[in-house]
Structure formats: C-alpha cells, structure tokens
Amino acid sequence: MTRDIEQFAQLGIGEALTNALLEYGIGKPSPIQAEAIPYILEGRDVLAQSQTGTGKTLAYLLPLLQRIDPDKKESQVLVIAPTQELAMQIVREGEKYGEPLGVSTIGLIGGASAARQVEKLRHRPHLVVGTPGRLRELLSTRKLKLHEARTVVLDEADQIFQLGGADDIRALLKGSLRDRQLIFLSATLGPDVRALADREMRDPADVGIEPEQKLAKTTQHLYFVCEERDRIDILRRVVRHYNPQRAIVFVNQANTIAEVEAKLNHLGLAARTLYGDADKVTRATVLSQFRSGKFRLLVATDVAARGLDIPGLELVVHLDPATDSEHYVHRAGRTGRMGRKGLSVSIVTDRQEFIMRKFSRELETKIEPRTLYDGAVLTPAEAEERRSGAARRTPKKSAGTSPAGRSEAGASPAPQGGASDSDAASSARGESPQRSAAPGRTNPGKPAASAGRGSKGGKKQPNKDKGAPKWLKDKRSSQDPS
Ligand code: ADP
Ligand code: MG
C-alpha cells in the first residue's frame, strides 16, 4: 500500500510542514514514515519497528504536530525518550517543525534546573518531551499534569522498558487521558514491549519495515582481533586508516573511560567522553561540540547508543564488544543512517571472537574479520598471501595496497581516497578540527608517542610494525626471513 506514495502531502501532511521539510532537504517520506503517518493521523495506536536511521522521529512527530491544536493552551502530546541526549534531539526536531504551526515544545530532562522547567510548564507547552526520571518527578509533585495529553510516544520503547519495567511505564501513562493514543517505536521491539503493548494499546497498527532486519543495510561490519593490551593501538590504526570525519568509540565501563580518552589524546587523536554519570551541562556541551566538529572521537558508554543522529558519523568502534546483539544494533546504528554508508568495527581478543560469530548469527549479518597489515586492511586470506609474499622477500609495497585495502573494506567512510595512510598525514587531520589540514603537517601533539608506536618508516618492513597484534607479530617472526 505504500509503494506508490511519493510525497508527504499524499499521506495527509499539510503544506506548512511539507514546506518546512523541503527547507531541510526532505522531500520524500521514508518507508516507515509512509506506513506510520496515516495511522497516526487517524489517531490509531501504533507499534513501529524499523532499522536504525530510517526516520522514525518524523514518522511520529509530523502527524502529531499536525494534530496539535495550537490555539488550545494544553500539553497535548508527550514523548518519552530514554536519555537526555535523545530527548533534546527530539526537542530540537519538535521546535524545528512545530514553529511554522505555532506549536510550542518543552524538554524535561534530568540534571537541568527543575525550577525553570516548572516555570515553563505553566505556559502549557503543546509538545512535552522528557526522560522517565524527570517526568516521574514532575508528575509525582503534580507540576506536570497529563490529563490533556491525547498522545503518548515511547521512542526507543524497549530501552525505556528496560530502564524501569512495565510498572514504571504504566505509572507514567496513568495521568494521560484514558483513550489516549499510544505509540511505541524502536529498531528492536522484543516480546516484553509487545506484551505491554498488548495490555495498553487498543487494536494497534503494527507497522514494521523488515523488522527482522535490524541493522542498516548500508553499514559494513568488521572486527579486528588483538591482545587485550593492544586495543588502543588497533583503535588508533583503524582511525588512521579509515580517517573518518567523526567516530564514536564505545566502551562498556564508565570507570575506564577517562583513561581511554587520555590515551587517545596522547596519541594525537582528539577525543572527549560521554557517559551517564557526567553532569548534564558537560554531556550537552560535549555532544554539541562533537556535532559541530570540535573533536573527532567521542568515547562513550551505551548512553550514546540510542537514537542519536549525528551528521557525518562514518565510523563506530566497539572498543569493548557490545554486551549483546541488541546493544550491537543500537551502537552500530549511529552510522549508516538514512541510506548513507557506515562502518562498524569491533576490537576483540581471540577469546572474544566467538561473540562476533554469535552476533553475526543472531543478526543474520556478516561481521567479518580483518587484519591490519602494513598499513592496509586485509581479509585473513589476503593477509596470509601478503605474509607469504613477504616471506619470499618481496618487501616492496604494491601500488594497490592502500586503495585495495580501502575498497575491499567497502565502506571506506572518508572519501579522501588518495590520502596516504601515513601517520603524519592522518595525525595532522586527527589533531585539527578541520579535515582540510595540510597533509604534510607533522603531528604537533606527541610526536614521540606516535612515532614510537606507529609504523612510520617501517611500512616496508612489517616486522617493524610494533603496533601489530602479538599473535600477528608471532606469526610474522616465524615466517619473515628478515
Ligand atoms: P531513527 O529514529 O529511525 O533511527 P531518525 O528519525 O533519527 O531515525 O532519522 C535519521 C535521519 O534521517 C535524520 O537525520 C533525519 O533528519 C533524516 N530523515 C528523516 N526523514 C527523512 C526523509 N524522509 N528523507 C530524508 N532524510 C530523512
Ligand atoms: Mg529514533
């Protein structure tokens, strides 16, 4: 039924919004938008599952903004999001598209001044977006009243469910109108959320764009095996090789995050951190600086895994492997959004390699091993060939090495194809907030550190590549005659 829908207007979206969309370069609805918008306009309850980065936000915001009566001073729509960052991202979209309609928006998130939020609430903003904790707080003190809320949206519903459980969600819903419209969305809607939907929704429209396909098809998934102590070095080489404009580096534990940040900065890779326990202002500043390109690597816990839409994010690195395939989906889902190319790289020890096979199986997606060898990213077979080539004493790097590594890796995110992979050139880019830094510039950061660890000057002699994983070095030294 959606196949021949070409325009938002045909879905029932009015001119004020279609004009606003065009202003932001959005002309055609995405499949999930084409499916969900008519139901949401009708007032139906909706369960929507589609891959990360497929436009779920506008799938609910557009029809809901349109249904808001701006003349009534009532909070008519409530959107619940699991993290401050995601809530604020939704607020910004709400403001962008609500403004031409005369719709007002408020963000209710933890860490920020409750008093100011309460003051703003007095004006009864039409669209309320918040995190569960702050919403609960304001509801329990009756500062926020939902008796006029006609619609409640749970964005990343399964995550909200995991945070507080069904009772928590029910408590949040209690204040809203009895016949309110309820909308749940995620790339991963498990049985728990579906059971809750069964209980709370009336005859929901279950819209899904290939719900079994959870990962964006435009993202390539690779992993590199190394010794535990070489993780950071592999990360450094992956970043140097792919040279992304921006990348998120996911870690599993907040207590080591500062150390990772320090090491990366020490290596000349501009990095900052985002994690749940940091204060709200820091979190907001870091994220906005990341969006605007002030630094290149965001080292984050899974708090950054849900829903964030960051332009130009070409690479996601799992410095620690994701805890399960669902977490993997959301982390990897920060890249490869809305048809763009993306690359998801996991760094694992040999004992963690099975996790990659497990995710691969569960997600029905190829997650392929790669090896960093002599500045190139190779498949195991290519690496083997290269090694035996080296053994036959042909140390000269073939002309195709780097480009082959890149095209073979497919999703080479940085289109600076011709750029050499040399440490000096790419560290200049890593240091600079602008990517157009002179490629010849030397690393003003810690030249000693990166020269000492890098493969500079050692490119033609693989055994000098000190950053190589130990198992690779061992293999090499047993084969390399030099
Ligand atoms: P999801 O919630 O499914 O992960 P988002 O709603 O964050 O995805 O949307 C991903 C990106 O796609 C955003 O940058 C958004 O502005 C953009 N986008 C949304 N709808 C469209 C569309 N119809 N055409 C092009 N880009 C779109
Ligand atoms: Mg989303």
Side-chain angles (χ1 to χ4, degrees):
M1 64 155 276
T2 59
R3 203 119 300 166
D4 49 353
I5 297 229
E6 291 287 313
Q7 303 295 336
F8 283 104
Q10 288 170 268
L11 300 171
I13 297 299
E15 212 178 314
L17 281 177
T18 54
N19 286 340
L21 286 162
L22 281 178
E23 240 175 78
Y24 294 106
I26 297 180
K28 257 181 85 161
S30 69
I32 190 69
Q33 291 163 356
E35 288 245 5
I37 287 173
Y39 289 123
I40 298 178
L41 280 175
E42 262 173 49
R44 285 268 301 266
D45 287 354
V46 170
L47 260 173
Q49 178 166 11
S50 73
Q51 297 137 42
T52 53
T54 51
K56 291 187 286 298
T57 320
L58 291 180
Y60 65 83
L61 272 186
L62 297 173
L64 293 179
L65 287 169
Q66 183 158 308
R67 270 164 50 92
I68 283 174
D69 181 349
D71 296 330
K72 285 194 184 144
K73 269 194 143 200
E74 293 174 353
S75 295
Q76 297 165 44
V77 173
L78 170 68
V79 178
I80 309 176
T83 64
Q84 298 171 13
E85 285 76 14
L86 181 55
M88 290 321 289
Q89 183 178 297
I90 298 165
V91 166
R92 278 196 301 275
E93 292 287 283
E95 287 171 345
K96 230 159 79 174
Y97 296 101
E99 211 207 302
L101 300 173
V103 168
S104 55
T105 303
I106 187 174
L108 301 176
I109 63 168
S113 151
R116 268 190 53 197
Q117 293 175 359
V118 169
E119 177 54 35
K120 275 201 192 162
L121 270 176
R122 275 178 220 235
H123 301 103
R124 306 279 194 80
H126 302 114
L127 170 65
V128 175
V129 184
T131 50
R134 179 52 57 95
L135 289 171
R136 221 181 298 121
E137 193 184 315
L138 292 169
L139 281 169
S140 69
T141 52
R142 306 189 55 78
K143 298 288 193 307
L144 171 67
K145 297 192 191 94
L146 288 179
H147 58 277
E148 288 147 351
R150 276 194 289 119
T151 305
V152 179
V153 179
L154 266 65
D155 197 339
E156 305 290 345
D158 57 319
Q159 171 77 347
I160 297 171
F161 187 94
Q162 280 158 25
L163 290 173
D167 291 343
D168 192 50
I169 294 177
R170 249 184 260 128
L172 286 171
L173 296 178
K174 220 170 60 194
S176 59
L177 289 174
R178 257 249 281 217
D179 60 346
R180 91 249 126 175
Q181 176 185 31
L182 201 53
I183 301 169
F184 290 178
L185 311 100
S186 183
T188 49
L189 285 176
D192 290 348
V193 183
R194 289 184 176 272
L196 179 74
D198 270 351
R199 265 175 284 133
E200 299 291 326
M201 289 182 171
R202 288 154 304 150
D203 182 29
D206 192 340
V207 301
I209 305 301
E210 306 175 277
E212 65 294 337
Q213 169 78 35
K214 300 192 172 87
L215 292 158
K217 288 177 181 159
T218 45
T219 295
Q220 193 188 26
H221 302 269
L222 304 178
Y223 71 86
F224 293 84
V225 180
C226 70
E227 296 274 324
E228 183 65 46
R229 63 167 182 273
D230 292 328
R231 270 188 210 279
I232 295 280
D233 196 56
I234 295 295
L235 168 62
R236 174 187 71 82
R237 293 166 65 194
V238 163
V239 170
R240 291 277 153 90
H241 180 83
Y242 290 105
N243 196 21
Q245 189 182 356
R246 274 190 256 300
I248 299 192
V249 177
F250 281 105
V251 298
N252 287 349
Q253 270 162 10
N255 57 8
T256 55
I257 204 168
E259 194 185 320
V260 173
E261 177 191 30
K263 282 181 183 164
L264 292 174
N265 284 308
H266 180 75
L267 290 169
L269 293 168
R272 294 201 59 187
T273 61
L274 185 71
Y275 55 99
D277 284 341
D279 70 274
K280 187 234 153 204
V281 177
T282 308
R283 277 168 71 165
T285 316
V286 164
L287 193 58
S288 88
Q289 289 183 345
F290 186 54
R291 283 184 200 276
S292 63
K294 294 246 159 55
F295 61 94
R296 199 177 181 199
L297 300 181
L298 181 68
V299 186
T301 58
D302 284 290
V303 76
R306 286 281 182 158
L308 294 190
D309 187 64
I310 294 157
L313 193 91
E314 301 166 320
L315 171 69
V316 165
V317 179
H318 314 256
L319 187 62
D320 298 315
T323 45
D324 56 36
S325 59
E326 219 151 84
H327 283 80
Y328 185 86
V329 165
H330 292 283
R331 285 175 168 195
R334 295 318 98 218
T335 184
R337 298 174 71 72
M338 204 42 87
R340 294 192 184 83
K341 269 188 169 189
L343 178 64
S344 168
V345 166
S346 299
I347 300 177
V348 297
T349 62
D350 54 358
R351 272 194 281 170
Q352 290 170 331
E353 212 178 335
F354 80 98
I355 302 173
M356 299 294 104
R357 290 192 287 270
K358 185 162 169 274
F359 291 176
S360 186
R361 212 166 44 236
E362 288 175 4
L363 300 169
E364 295 176 32
T365 295
K366 275 192 196 159
I367 305 179
E368 301 170 282
R370 288 290 186 274
T371 299
L372 278 160
Y373 187 91
D374 199 12
V377 167
L378 305 177
T379 63
E382 287 168 332
E384 195 48 52
E385 203 179 297
R386 196 69 70 82
R387 253 176 246 126
S388 42
R392 288 198 305 272
R393 221 188 160 282
T394 47
K396 198 161 166 272
K397 195 161 134 189
S398 81
T401 301
S402 194
R406 283 172 168 249
S407 61
E408 199 281 328
S412 171
Q416 294 178 295
S420 101
D421 191 33
S422 90
D423 282 351
S426 39
S427 75
R429 280 190 292 274
E431 270 296 317
S432 163
Q434 268 132 20
R435 306 183 71 206
S436 51
R441 216 177 99 197
T442 46
N443 183 351
K446 300 279 186 223
S450 71
R453 301 179 61 107
S455 54
K456 203 193 281 179
K459 289 216 158 193
K460 288 172 184 142
Q461 291 159 287
N463 58 334
K464 290 239 178 89
D465 189 353
K466 288 184 188 145
K470 186 171 176 300
W471 59 265
L472 184 55
K473 282 191 278 189
D474 291 347
K475 239 184 182 163
R476 262 183 216 156
S477 54
S478 67
Q479 288 171 354
D480 200 324
S482 59

